[in-house]
Amino acid sequence: MRGAPEHLHDALSGDIIQQGYLARCLDKDAPCAGYAADPPMACAWRGVRLASHSPTLSLSDSEAFVSACAAPDEVFRQRASIALMDLSDRVFGRKVGALDQMTATAESRDLLYPSIDAVRTRVNSALAQEDKGERLPPFAPAGPGDADQPVAWSSCGPTVCLEGFTPAFGGGLISFRVSVKSQTASPSQTDALAAKLAAAALEAPSAAAALSAAAPTQITAGPVCWSKGRGPSGLSYAGAARAPCHPVAAQSGA
């Protein structure tokens, strides 16, 4: 059975699963043998995960961080802040701000809820449902990047590509786009496939029909701004960002 030292070693080595486990064990309701509750450190470890640039981070990870760090006590906030800044630098080589700054960043509502990797998985499931043999490969690890710049992701097969942006700190999606290259299919069929794959990414099949039928390049539906279009060489694309729609393309990452 693994003990506290092993979990800590792996967390310090950059394993975000172990960082999450450690955070849960250090929370005020610590359920793990060998751990004493230490809520400031639980808060800090949840924040360290958000600095990882992992493609598996979703908006729920950001919400868990904000919730774990919601304490008015100044001793709590100072300990958590110092640990968050130190550990993020030590584990991932990334400079982050003090606790109040990072919780404000993580509370952003300008994001879609899933992780970029969940989007990739859903697109692959939709490809299977369409009897397409192609699958999108796992994302390559994100580069260091600037501390305040979105993280860009790309996963491509022979004819289908998924591109997206995630926040520099936190989980969820700024935007994503699925593009499909036309081969033997007609442009309208390629448009329809891109729309189906993009809609599957947010588990919103009705959006596929709306994207296929609509003349505008952007459609607002509740919290989502859907976009579609065509590029060079018969390329069709469809994607989404958080509503409201803006005049610029949703895939800008801005």
Side-chain angles (χ1 to χ4, degrees):
M1 180 180 294
R2 291 167 59 83
E6 290 82 7
H7 291 298
L8 178 60
H9 175 272
D10 289 350
L12 288 169
S13 298
D15 187 328
I16 72 164
I17 294 176
Q18 294 304 317
Q19 290 166 4
Y21 178 84
L22 194 58
R24 290 191 297 274
C25 286
L26 293 170
D27 209 348
K28 58 181 179 297
D29 300 319
C32 309
Y35 288 89
D38 192 343
M41 291 304 296
C43 159
W45 276 113
R46 289 194 184 278
V48 172
R49 292 183 78 246
L50 298 189
S52 68
H53 289 180
S54 168
T56 64
L57 293 174
S58 69
L59 198 56
S60 63
D61 294 297
S62 295
E63 291 175 340
F65 166 65
V66 172
S67 177
C69 299
D73 179 73
E74 182 60 21
V75 172
F76 175 107
R77 301 192 72 75
Q78 285 192 29
R79 283 195 63 220
S81 187
I82 292 168
L84 170 60
M85 297 172 74
D86 177 73
L87 288 168
S88 295
D89 190 13
R90 189 177 0 156
V91 175
F92 294 118
R94 298 199 176 101
K95 305 289 186 183
V96 302
L99 184 63
D100 288 347
Q101 176 186 346
M102 303 322 293
T103 52
T105 298
E107 284 183 309
S108 170
R109 292 293 179 264
D110 296 328
L111 300 168
L112 297 171
Y113 74 91
S115 70
I116 187 67
D117 203 53
V119 167
R120 182 185 67 86
T121 299
R122 292 170 185 172
V123 169
N124 279 342
S125 294
L127 285 168
Q129 291 171 6
E130 293 293 315
D131 293 324
K132 306 291 184 183
E134 184 172 347
R135 298 293 182 271
L136 297 175
F139 294 105
D146 295 329
D148 58 349
Q149 293 299 309
V151 184
W153 301 94
S154 179
S155 173
C156 293
T159 65
V160 178
C161 271
L162 167 63
E163 299 167 285
F165 291 93
T166 58
F169 179 85
L173 278 169
I174 297 172
S175 65
F176 73 89
R177 185 173 80 175
V178 181
S179 57
V180 180
K181 293 179 183 177
S182 177
Q183 292 182 320
T184 58
S186 68
S188 61
Q189 289 175 314
T190 307
D191 290 347
L193 179 58
K196 285 180 181 179
L197 298 179
L202 293 184
E203 301 175 303
S206 63
L211 280 168
S212 297
T217 58
Q218 293 182 324
I219 307 164
T220 298
V224 182
C225 172
W226 298 97
S227 60
K228 68 172 190 174
R230 290 180 183 168
S233 305
L235 183 78
S236 297
Y237 65 84
R242 190 72 163 84
C245 292
H246 300 289
V248 295
Q251 188 63 11
S252 67

